[in-house]
Amino acid sequence: MKSNISRQNIYLLSLSVFLLIFVLIFAFALLIPEGKEYRNKRADLRKENKELKKYENFRDDVLEHLGELKSENRNIIAAFDRSFDAVRFEKMHGEHFTSLSVHEKVKLENENKFSVYEVNTTSQINSPKSFYNFLDAINKSDWIISVNFPIHFKREAEMIRSSFTMKVYKVAKDTNTSDLNTSE
């Protein structure tokens, strides 16, 4: 018995069967395992994106809080950069005293990242209230100042002579500017 299928159809049918087998082998050998790996990686990526978003929100909150703190405390930040001027200090705070003299005692070593000057002052005041007004005024001054104890008061006729030391803090300039660039 002779078949009526042409040779061309046989070639076409055999090529189709070959391609079908090839596609099935390709699908089961490569696509399905890679698809499972793709789904696993996609799930991992979603977890990482969720974690990244959480950290970005935290960073944004911290940056916002930092901006608020910088704006609230800009005078204090600027005060750390100003150099201490004894003459200007005497002019600014001389109104609280009958006489005020400021003598720089010693430049102390850098304490952490601050240059610290110890200033020895002697003054004559009418009443202790003037001294307390002076303490309030230095809290609002252009420098960061700490008054050290003990404060000595000595009565001389109608005046009170006071003697105390104070430290003036200034940020020491660091030659390494990479920290400044990363914080901005």
Side-chain angles (χ1 to χ4, degrees), residues 7-64:
R7 190 180 259 181
Q8 190 177 16
N9 285 340
I10 293 175
Y11 288 143
L12 189 58
L13 184 62
S14 62
L15 182 63
S16 297
V17 169
F18 175 74
L19 286 176
L20 178 65
I21 293 171
F22 176 76
V23 167
L24 290 175
I25 292 173
F26 180 75
F28 286 109
L30 293 175
L31 290 181
I32 293 174
E34 291 295 324
K36 289 179 184 178
E37 186 179 336
Y38 169 75
R39 284 190 297 277
N40 291 337
K41 286 184 178 183
R42 186 175 63 185
D44 291 342
L45 181 63
R46 284 183 182 159
K47 289 177 188 175
E48 288 177 9
N49 281 339
K50 188 176 182 181
E51 191 173 336
L52 175 66
K53 187 67 173 169
K54 181 177 79 173
Y55 286 125
E56 285 176 344
N57 290 339
F58 177 72
R59 183 203 61 201
D60 293 342
D61 292 343
V62 168
L63 283 176
E64 181 180 331

Side-chain angles (χ1 to χ4, degrees), residues 115-138:
S115 296
V116 180
Y117 295 88
E118 188 167 340
V119 179
N120 195 9
T121 60
T122 304
S123 59
Q124 290 182 342
I125 55 177
N126 296 332
S127 71
K129 187 174 193 279
S130 299
F131 185 75
Y132 294 123
N133 290 339
F134 163 72
L135 290 178
D136 287 338
I138 63 169

Side-chain angles (χ1 to χ4, degrees), residues 151-163:
I151 301 171
H152 300 285
F153 292 102
K154 184 178 178 185
R155 183 154 184 91
E156 294 178 354
E158 294 294 316
M159 291 292 188
I160 301 171
R161 179 174 290 277
S162 64
S163 174

